[in-house]
């Protein structure tokens, strides 16, 4: 059977260089066994916090309000010591976890910084994260975020990081090889004021970068109303952050009028049910977002709220909870969110699909096991059957990075041991 879709197919997939090609008589250089499976475009995790992969299931972070969650996480970061080494190791774990679960591109909304650190130190942190992703062969979207930082310091840091990461040339913040993208984004109006949004927005304008933020979790709405007497969407519009270069994560608590304004502005959205549900924020009305014409992607958020960076598992969760807030989503629509939808929010038209000319990022998923026995629709079964499914093979930019369920570019156990050793060593200081 051949599936006629941009994001999923069976049968042969021909790669020439780093792009999907038309079927041809090219001499075979390498082949991957896809018997008994289907091929999807590489998954695009549009919203993650890579640092949090080192701080999962911490005491005091489950079933608690945001006001208790934030200091518990901050205390753990402080104990570990926020420096380039820690951030690099956590990024290595998170990117490896993503590749092993089919994520070929991950957006790291990096919000936590050593307060008052020299600008050069923030550049070192950004480069350490980018180096970890490059070493493993995953695509990284590095989002220089801010959470209660001094606006001038955040802006100066964002500018210096742009100079460093994009020194060899870029188009719209994307390096020539497409493996690294740079963007900016305050945590949200609950955390950052107009000055910070303006400072990071100015960097985005100078460098042609995408902008990202978070809005309309219930806590975000409550704080905005208390502090400004306005709702978050009103503030974002007033501060120039309702525009077609902006992506907003969460959007759990929005009105019909706000949804129409978001759509009219060309803003894209990211759904993060693996964070929103356990944090008690609710479930975004995703079908309404899609029906309004809002390009909507999918993200896991970080390990402090969602202890797995497994985007396919969160796609399954998105299916399961969608009927609680509106029209139930179809599996094909959610797969599109995890691929094309996320890519559109990043401004990356070459990602998230398998048409000729697209980036050669794809996953081979085995559907021949007992968990898939009796499945009538293999596309729906990709999500509904076999929770925690991992891909047999993963290719990024034409390079095999996972073969037969194992990382090609590094040893998974070495990565795990490196983090465990670092955290234990620092906890003992």
């Amino acid at each position: 059977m051949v599936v006629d879709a941009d994001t999923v197919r069976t049968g042969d997939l021909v790669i020439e260089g780093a792009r999907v090609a038309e079927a041809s008589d090219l001499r075979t250089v390498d082949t991957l066994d896809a018997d008994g499976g289907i091929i999807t475009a590489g998954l695009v995790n549009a919203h993650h916090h890579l640092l949090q992969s080192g701080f999962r299931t911490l005491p005091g972070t489950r079933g608690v309000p945001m006001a208790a969650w934030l200091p518990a996480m901050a205390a753990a970061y402080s104990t570990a010591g926020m420096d380039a080494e820690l951030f690099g190791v956590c990024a290595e774990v998170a990117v490896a976890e993503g590749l092993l679960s089919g994520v070929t591109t991950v957006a790291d909304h990096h919000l936590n910084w050593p307060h008052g650190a020299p600008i050069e130190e923030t550049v070192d942190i950004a480069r350490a994260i980018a180096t970890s992703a490059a070493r493993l062969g995953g695509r990284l979207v590095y989002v220089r975020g801010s959470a209660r930082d001094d606006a001038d310091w955040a802006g100066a840091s964002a500018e210096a990081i742009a100079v460093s990461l994009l020194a060899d040339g870029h188009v719209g913040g994307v390096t020539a090889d497409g493996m690294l993208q740079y963007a900016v984004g305050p945590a949200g109006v609950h955390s950052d004021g107009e000055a910070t949004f303006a400072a990071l927005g100015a960097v985005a304008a100078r460098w042609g970068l995408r902008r990202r933020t978070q809005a309309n979790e219930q806590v975000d709405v409550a704080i905005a109303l208390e502090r400004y007497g306005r709702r978050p969407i009103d503030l974002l519009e007033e501060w120039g952050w309702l525009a077609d270069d902006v992506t907003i994560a969460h959007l759990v608590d929005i009105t019909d009028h706000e949804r129409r304004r978001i759509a009219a502005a060309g803003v894209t959205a990211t759904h993060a049910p693996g964070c929103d549900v356990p944090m008690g924020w609710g479930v975004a009305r995703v079908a309404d977002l899609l029906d309004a014409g809002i390009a909507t992607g999918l993200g896991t958020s970080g390990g402090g709220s969602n202890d797995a960076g497994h985007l396919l598992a969160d796609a399954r969760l998105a299916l399961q909870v969608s009927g609680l807030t509106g029209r139930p989503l179809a599996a094909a629509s959610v797969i599109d969110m995890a691929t094309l939808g996320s890519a559109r929010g990043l401004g990356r038209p070459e990602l998230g699909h398998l048409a000729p000319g697209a980036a050669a990022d794809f996953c081979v998923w085995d559907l021949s096991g007992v968990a898939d026995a009796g499945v009538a629709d293999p596309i729906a079964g990709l999500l509904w059957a076999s929770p925690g499914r991992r891909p047999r093979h993963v290719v990024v930019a034409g390079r095999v990075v996972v073969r037969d369920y194992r990382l090609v570019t590094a040893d998974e156990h070495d990565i795990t041991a490196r983090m465990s050793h670092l955290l234990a060593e620092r906890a003992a200081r």
Side-chain angles (χ1 to χ4, degrees):
M1 178 184 69
V2 175
V3 179
D4 183 18
D6 280 342
T7 54
V8 185
R9 70 170 67 174
T10 60
D12 293 337
L13 182 66
V14 178
I15 305 300
E16 185 174 8
R19 297 281 175 168
V20 176
E22 298 280 7
S24 70
D25 295 325
L26 289 172
R27 180 178 61 85
T28 298
V29 176
D30 192 13
T31 61
L32 292 171
D33 179 13
D35 280 355
I38 59 175
I39 301 169
T40 71
L43 306 183
V44 180
N45 188 343
H47 188 66
H48 202 333
H49 306 290
L50 302 189
L51 170 63
Q52 293 180 16
S53 296
F55 304 90
R56 311 191 223 209
T57 68
L58 292 179
T61 64
R62 290 296 171 270
V64 299
M66 191 78 162
W69 181 87
L70 282 171
M73 296 298 294
Y77 302 151
S78 178
T79 297
M82 289 193 290
D83 58 17
E85 183 182 19
L86 175 72
F87 285 109
V89 166
C90 290
E92 187 176 40
V93 165
V95 172
E97 180 186 13
L99 290 172
L100 286 165
S101 56
V103 173
T104 54
T105 301
V106 61
D108 176 23
H109 197 175
H110 183 176
L111 301 175
N112 302 98
W113 302 90
H115 287 295
I119 297 300
E120 295 77 11
E121 187 174 330
T122 69
V123 174
D124 290 343
I125 287 170
R127 291 202 67 84
I129 294 168
T131 298
S132 290
R135 184 165 52 243
L136 292 169
R139 295 186 195 268
L140 174 70
V141 181
Y142 182 73
V143 185
R144 200 299 180 192
S146 175
R148 296 169 298 282
D149 296 325
D150 175 79
D152 291 339
W153 179 83
S157 168
E159 181 75 20
I161 292 171
V163 171
S164 177
L165 295 187
L166 304 176
D168 295 331
H170 71 102
V171 175
V174 182
T175 55
D177 62 2
M179 297 300 292
L180 176 63
Q181 180 176 358
Y182 182 49
V184 297
V189 302
H190 63 277
S191 171
D192 300 287
E194 182 177 4
T196 302
F197 277 85
L200 294 184
V203 175
R206 279 193 295 274
W207 289 84
L209 310 178
R210 298 285 302 180
R211 296 181 289 166
R212 306 179 71 80
T213 192
Q214 305 171 123
N216 289 64
E217 316 98 308
Q218 278 87 341
V219 64
D220 187 60
V221 175
I223 292 175
L225 288 172
E226 178 183 353
R227 188 172 296 164
Y228 301 100
R230 312 277 298 283
R231 286 175 61 85
I233 298 303
D234 298 325
L235 293 167
L236 291 177
E237 185 170 44
E238 181 180 310
W239 297 350
W241 278 66
L242 280 194
D244 60 8
D245 64 327
V246 173
T247 299
I248 302 176
H250 301 298
L251 291 177
V252 173
D253 179 21
I254 62 172
T255 66
D256 291 342
H257 177 59
E258 288 170 338
R259 185 180 302 108
R260 289 192 291 271
R261 288 161 63 195
I262 291 168
V267 172
T268 55
T270 304
H271 184 35
C275 167
D276 298 337
V277 171
M279 291 297 288
W281 293 337
V283 179
R285 299 181 65 90
V286 178
D288 289 348
L289 294 174
L290 295 173
D291 290 345
I294 298 169
T296 303
L298 193 68
T300 59
S301 200
S305 57
N306 177 0
D307 295 305
H310 195 308
L311 193 67
L312 198 73
D314 281 13
R316 186 176 191 270
L317 177 62
L319 278 180
Q320 291 175 310
V321 300
S322 61
L324 297 176
T325 58
R327 171 174 56 80
L329 298 171
S333 294
V334 179
I335 292 172
D336 276 349
M337 288 169 57
T339 51
L340 277 170
S342 291
R344 286 171 179 155
L346 298 173
R348 302 291 296 277
E350 79 279 17
L351 302 180
H353 61 104
L354 297 174
D361 296 3
F362 64 90
C363 305
V364 177
W365 307 89
D366 185 11
L367 306 183
S368 63
V370 66
D372 291 291
V375 168
D377 178 352
I379 306 307
L382 183 66
L383 297 187
W384 283 116
S386 191
R389 184 193 303 275
R390 285 168 58 157
R392 185 193 299 173
H393 313 301
V394 179
V395 173
V396 182
R399 177 190 184 193
V400 180
V401 294
V402 173
R403 187 188 291 269
D404 294 323
Y405 304 100
R406 297 176 66 88
L407 284 173
V408 173
T409 50
D411 184 277
E412 178 181 358
H413 301 292
D414 287 347
I415 293 171
T416 303
R418 191 154 44 245
M419 172 184 279
S420 298
H421 175 75
L422 178 66
L423 294 176
E425 182 182 61
R426 294 189 175 196
R429 291 188 307 197

